[in-house]
Amino acid sequence: MGKGGTLTEGVLKKIILSYTYVAIWIFLSFTVIVYNKYILDRKMYNWPYPISLTMIHMGFCSSLAYILVNLLKVVEPVQMTRDVYLKSVVPIGLLYSLSLWLSNSAYIYLSVSFIQMLKALMPVAVYSIGVLFKKEGFKSRTMTNMLSISFGVAIAAYGEAQFNTFGVCLQLGAVCFEATRLVLIQILLTSKGITFNPITSLYYVAPCCLAFLSVPWFIVEFPKLRDGSSFHFDYLIFGTNSLCAFALNLAVFLLVGKTSALTMNVAGVVKDWLLIAFSWSVIKDTVTPVNLFGYGIAFLGVAYYNHMKLQGLKAKEAEKKAGQQADDESGKLLEEREGEKSGKKSESEN
């Protein structure tokens, strides 16, 4: 802050850049969700093959990541042993493939707005699985908040005009697999000092997803596609859709790298409200007052969860600064004592 409480040029530039990263991420996330809904929905583009769509994404991302890493040398590959790859990357790839498959499948049965309401359960799933794997400590206040989010989502589901049990099960399964993946990233990769940027992440994980998805694809969707001779692959539709999916991965890295994961969580709440409004006004999905009331309760729970996370981060930073100050003070005191000792020694020698 400058004189009179005004923002300095550097701080103002940082704020503008942060909002720009948030806007880019919201736009791309918004685009991918609506685009996937358009392709998969039987009333729109009418191509209800979620495994195939996910495989197209993974094949495109794998190829582009390979070109960027091995040919253009944009980023350096991570030092990866076969043991780490099999025990860490492969399980994460399996969970990611299941999460993408189920979440894309849900768009066939549920509205965009209701899917966003169900996604409010992500903090509940992440916290519960974190406690199960002993990465999070159990706190009664946090669990009460998780129950309030779940209660709000339950009310929103009760008020859903186009409720589909199978679609809800698909989306809840996607939330559970994604939450488990996020926890395992901390356990299997971050704890070992391995970090991925979005390009190296796709370079290692996307081929795994492609391999895992090929098994159910041969059983479930390949026979239908083989018999449906009327379909012609639209390179414009699927190419731009895959490019948006790849750009979204880059935007996630940009947002988290330049701001924080907490910023993305807060921005995600804004994105969900925008998607609900878009789904109601443009796609003409039915959004009932009970939907909004239930999601409002869940929204307050998620907002409180993000607030508590922010307070925890601030407390950790304060402890870190206090520790650094204590170390600096003890260092100065030690230097003073050593100076006094050397002074007394020189006096005794004289």
Side-chain angles (χ1 to χ4, degrees):
M1 301 289 282
K3 293 181 179 179
T6 58
L7 294 172
T8 63
E9 184 178 347
V11 173
L12 184 61
K13 183 179 179 181
K14 188 176 181 180
I15 292 173
I16 292 173
L17 284 174
S18 296
Y19 278 107
T20 302
Y21 300 140
V22 168
I24 292 171
W25 177 77
I26 288 178
F27 172 76
L28 288 170
S29 182
F30 192 101
T31 302
V32 170
I33 289 171
V34 174
Y35 211 159
N36 287 352
K37 174 67 175 177
Y38 168 75
I39 292 173
L40 295 167
D41 197 297
R42 290 188 173 90
K43 297 178 182 178
M44 299 181 189
Y45 189 76
N46 191 25
W47 199 68
Y49 301 105
I51 307 176
S52 301
L53 182 63
T54 309
M55 288 181 69
I56 291 170
H57 289 172
M58 292 297 101
F60 180 88
C61 290
S62 298
S63 303
L64 196 52
Y66 180 86
I67 292 170
L68 292 173
V69 172
N70 290 327
L71 300 181
L72 299 180
K73 308 291 184 181
V74 174
V75 294
E76 291 292 328
V78 178
Q79 295 297 322
M80 181 72 62
T81 64
R82 183 185 178 188
D83 186 61
V84 171
Y85 186 82
L86 293 175
K87 293 182 179 179
S88 300
V89 177
V90 170
I92 290 170
L94 173 61
L95 290 169
Y96 193 37
S97 64
L98 291 170
S99 172
L100 291 173
W101 171 17
L102 296 184
S103 62
N104 282 334
S105 299
Y107 286 111
I108 300 174
Y109 304 96
L110 303 175
S111 65
V112 171
S113 57
F114 187 44
I115 286 175
Q116 303 317 303
M117 294 177 189
L118 292 175
K119 284 182 179 179
L121 289 170
M122 183 60 74
V124 180
V126 171
Y127 177 73
S128 301
I129 294 170
V131 171
L132 184 65
F133 282 93
K134 297 182 180 180
K135 293 298 292 183
E136 295 274 358
F138 179 84
K139 297 178 182 178
S140 56
R141 183 172 64 174
T142 305
M143 184 53 71
T144 302
N145 184 36
M146 297 297 106
L147 291 174
S148 70
I149 296 173
S150 304
F151 179 68
V153 172
I155 293 175
Y158 178 77
E160 175 59 21
Q162 299 174 352
F163 186 89
N164 184 287
T165 304
F166 184 61
V168 170
C169 291
L170 288 172
Q171 185 55 46
L172 293 180
V175 168
C176 290
F177 284 126
E178 178 63 12
T180 307
R181 183 182 75 91
L182 294 175
V183 174
L184 284 186
I185 286 174
Q186 290 183 325
I187 297 173
L188 299 177
L189 294 178
T190 308
S191 61
K192 297 178 181 178
I194 300 173
T195 55
F196 289 147
N197 61 47
I199 297 175
T200 54
S201 175
L202 292 173
Y203 179 75
Y204 290 106
V205 176
C208 281
C209 292
L210 193 60
F212 283 122
L213 289 168
S214 64
V215 177
W217 180 76
F218 271 110
I219 299 171
V220 179
E221 293 185 2
F222 175 69
K224 297 178 182 178
L225 289 168
R226 180 189 56 201
D227 298 337
S229 57
S230 59
F231 173 74
H232 298 285
F233 190 85
D234 192 326
Y235 289 95
L236 179 62
I237 290 290
F238 292 105
T240 53
N241 179 248
S242 299
L243 187 62
C244 288
F246 183 82
L248 177 59
N249 280 278
L250 298 183
V252 169
F253 174 72
L254 187 67
L255 179 60
V256 175
K258 299 297 183 180
T259 57
S260 67
L262 184 62
T263 301
M264 191 177 78
N265 289 338
V266 174
V269 175
V270 177
K271 179 207 69 179
D272 290 342
W273 278 113
L274 290 173
L275 277 166
I276 291 170
F278 179 85
S279 177
W280 170 72
S281 61
V282 179
I283 304 178
K284 302 302 180 182
D285 286 334
T286 303
V287 180
T288 67
V290 179
N291 275 147
L292 294 177
F293 176 71
Y295 185 65
I297 295 174
F299 162 74
L300 292 175
V302 173
Y304 180 74
Y305 174 78
N306 288 332
H307 171 72
M308 294 304 296
K309 294 286 283 185
L310 180 60
Q311 294 300 112
L313 288 174
K314 286 182 177 179
K316 285 183 180 179
E317 289 180 2
E319 288 179 5
K320 188 176 180 180
K321 288 181 180 179
Q324 288 177 348
Q325 289 178 355
D327 289 340
D328 292 340
E329 289 176 1
S330 61
K332 289 179 181 179
L333 185 61
L334 184 61
E335 288 178 2
E336 290 176 0
R337 288 178 178 175
E338 288 179 352
E340 289 176 1
K341 287 180 180 179
S342 60
K344 290 179 179 178
K345 186 177 180 181
S346 60
E347 286 178 4
S348 62
E349 288 176 351
N350 292 333

